[in-house]
Amino acid sequence: MLDILRGRGVNGANGEKVGLGSIRRPVIGLALGGGAARGFAHIGIMRTLLANGIVPDVVVGTSIGAAVGGAYAADRLDALEDWARSLQGVRNILGYLDIRLNGSGLIGGEKLASRLEESIGQTLIEDLPMKYASVATEVRTGHEIWLTRGRLVEAMRASYALPGIFSPVMIGDRWLVDGALVNPVPVSAARALGAEIVIAVNLSTDIFTHSTTIHSHGAMPAPAATEETPAKRRFPRIFSPEKTVKREFFGTAGRPGISSVMIDAFNIMQDRITRARLAGDPPDLLITPRVGQFGWFDFHRAEDLIAHGARAAERALESIQETIHVLAPAPEGAAPKAVE
């Protein structure tokens, strides 16, 4: 009975929109964007919305947004939050990363997937008590794939498979990677699943706030030639393989490493795609937690990220509640609401 009052509907059970007919509450959709560790802010946002009676009927997500949204849809948000807060220190995080250099990604992803399965099990998307979709990208074609049936863990894993970092995931006959390549904040998916009001969360708002166009740039003038002094003879320094890999992967003070170049490139691409997609299909409400100062792999800072998400949702509460009131469908037979 409680689920009926909340307006929840079984995922894909029928084509009717939740909230229509006798229930005159608007169908609320939540579109959770990607952003790796910054996605822990989604937990704080969802906690705040639920505490204020704002219960989503449709949940869609990209990358980490698919993971947090899936955990909520499966009633495992508490378990996810407990696990996130337990990630203290780099050594703890590395325990979930099965690093390999002979595959299509630096990280296989099996260890992390096993941890998700311990919590979520073999849950199917079609058995969830609400509509849910995970957004992924097909490798060979670039198709935007909405995963709306099958194993929830596999859908979550495909959506956060960052190219070059995590190995692609085979679902059906398609190799899938991170959905942020095509739809970082999936507002369109939420609307397609029947949401009448879409609340979106963009985690990359304050990362490139001052990006611009440099209209003229080139190499600096070469310094004036000076008399060369004989180079001191030194014995070659011997580095261990671990130090060499670390230097190449993380870079040095004067030169970016492989990981930082890949992540910065993905950040720039995701920021530009997000702006274009949100301009073409804007949500009714946009929550923008200020988490740009957190890195992609700052999973050990879950407590701070959750707090940032909660504050962002609190700032948006008044606007959300007002929008729900204004856009709520009028009862059958009642006169339309007057626009104030």
Side-chain angles (χ1 to χ4, degrees):
M1 179 62 70
L2 180 59
D3 287 341
I4 296 175
L5 292 176
R6 286 179 172 178
R8 289 185 170 190
V10 176
N11 191 81
N14 54 60
E16 296 179 2
K17 290 185 178 181
V18 180
L20 298 183
S22 61
I23 302 175
R24 305 313 300 167
R25 187 179 70 85
V27 183
I28 299 175
L30 194 57
L32 304 176
R38 293 193 290 266
F40 284 156
H42 290 317
I43 298 174
I45 290 170
M46 298 202 70
R47 292 291 190 205
T48 302
L49 294 180
L50 295 171
N52 287 272
I54 302 169
V55 181
D57 309 292
V58 176
V59 177
V60 299
T62 294
S63 196
I64 186 68
V68 176
Y72 167 71
D75 197 24
R76 301 301 296 166
L77 189 61
D78 289 344
L80 176 65
E81 181 174 354
D82 291 341
W83 176 73
R85 292 182 183 276
S86 72
L87 296 175
Q88 299 297 323
V90 177
R91 185 180 299 273
N92 193 338
I93 297 171
L94 290 177
Y96 290 99
L97 306 181
D98 42 342
I99 298 175
R100 61 188 187 186
L101 301 177
N102 60 347
S104 50
L106 294 175
I107 301 171
E110 283 79 11
K111 289 184 179 180
L112 186 56
S114 297
R115 179 63 183 83
L116 288 172
E117 286 188 359
E118 289 177 13
S119 175
I120 296 175
Q122 300 296 316
T123 303
L124 299 177
I125 296 175
E126 50 265 41
D127 292 337
L128 296 174
M130 66 187 68
K131 293 187 177 182
Y132 170 85
S134 167
V135 178
T137 306
E138 186 175 13
V139 172
R140 302 183 187 282
T141 64
H143 291 328
E144 179 178 334
I145 308 296
W146 295 355
L147 298 166
T148 57
R149 63 183 188 273
R151 292 180 59 228
L152 177 59
V153 169
E154 287 298 300
M156 294 160 64
R157 184 179 173 188
S159 189
Y160 68 65
L162 181 65
I165 302 296
F166 286 100
S167 298
V169 177
M170 171 70 84
I171 295 183
D173 59 348
R174 304 177 189 272
W175 284 106
L176 304 179
V177 293
D178 201 315
L181 290 170
V182 290
N183 198 351
V185 184
V187 175
S188 56
R191 293 201 190 282
L193 291 181
E196 297 169 322
I197 294 177
V198 177
I199 303 170
V201 182
N202 181 12
L203 300 173
S204 60
T205 303
D206 62 337
I207 298 177
F208 298 106
T209 55
H210 301 294
S211 296
T212 185
T213 301
I214 308 299
H215 295 281
S216 179
H217 180 70
M220 299 293 292
T226 58
E227 184 179 351
E228 295 184 0
T229 57
K232 293 183 179 180
R233 185 176 181 180
R234 296 185 301 179
F235 291 102
R237 298 180 63 184
I238 301 176
F239 293 96
S240 67
E242 292 81 4
K243 288 185 178 180
T244 301
V245 171
K246 183 178 180 181
R247 187 175 68 252
E248 292 298 323
F249 190 76
F250 293 104
T252 61
R255 179 176 176 271
I258 297 172
S259 63
S260 60
V261 170
M262 289 178 61
I263 291 169
D264 284 349
F266 201 80
N267 272 331
I268 294 169
M269 177 193 67
Q270 179 171 318
D271 176 67
R272 298 302 191 271
I273 296 173
T274 300
R275 294 187 189 196
R277 294 290 304 239
L278 292 181
D281 189 8
D284 298 290
L285 284 309
L286 183 62
I287 299 176
T288 56
R290 301 185 182 116
V291 291
Q293 73 272 26
F294 295 91
W296 272 60
F297 298 112
D298 284 346
F299 291 98
H300 59 288
R301 303 180 66 184
E303 185 172 351
D304 292 336
L305 285 159
I306 292 171
H308 274 276
R311 287 194 290 270
E314 288 168 0
R315 291 194 297 269
L317 274 178
E318 185 176 350
S319 296
I320 294 173
Q321 291 167 339
E322 181 180 356
T323 300
I324 291 174
H325 172 72
V326 171
L327 298 182
E332 293 181 358
K337 292 183 181 180
V339 178
E340 297 180 359

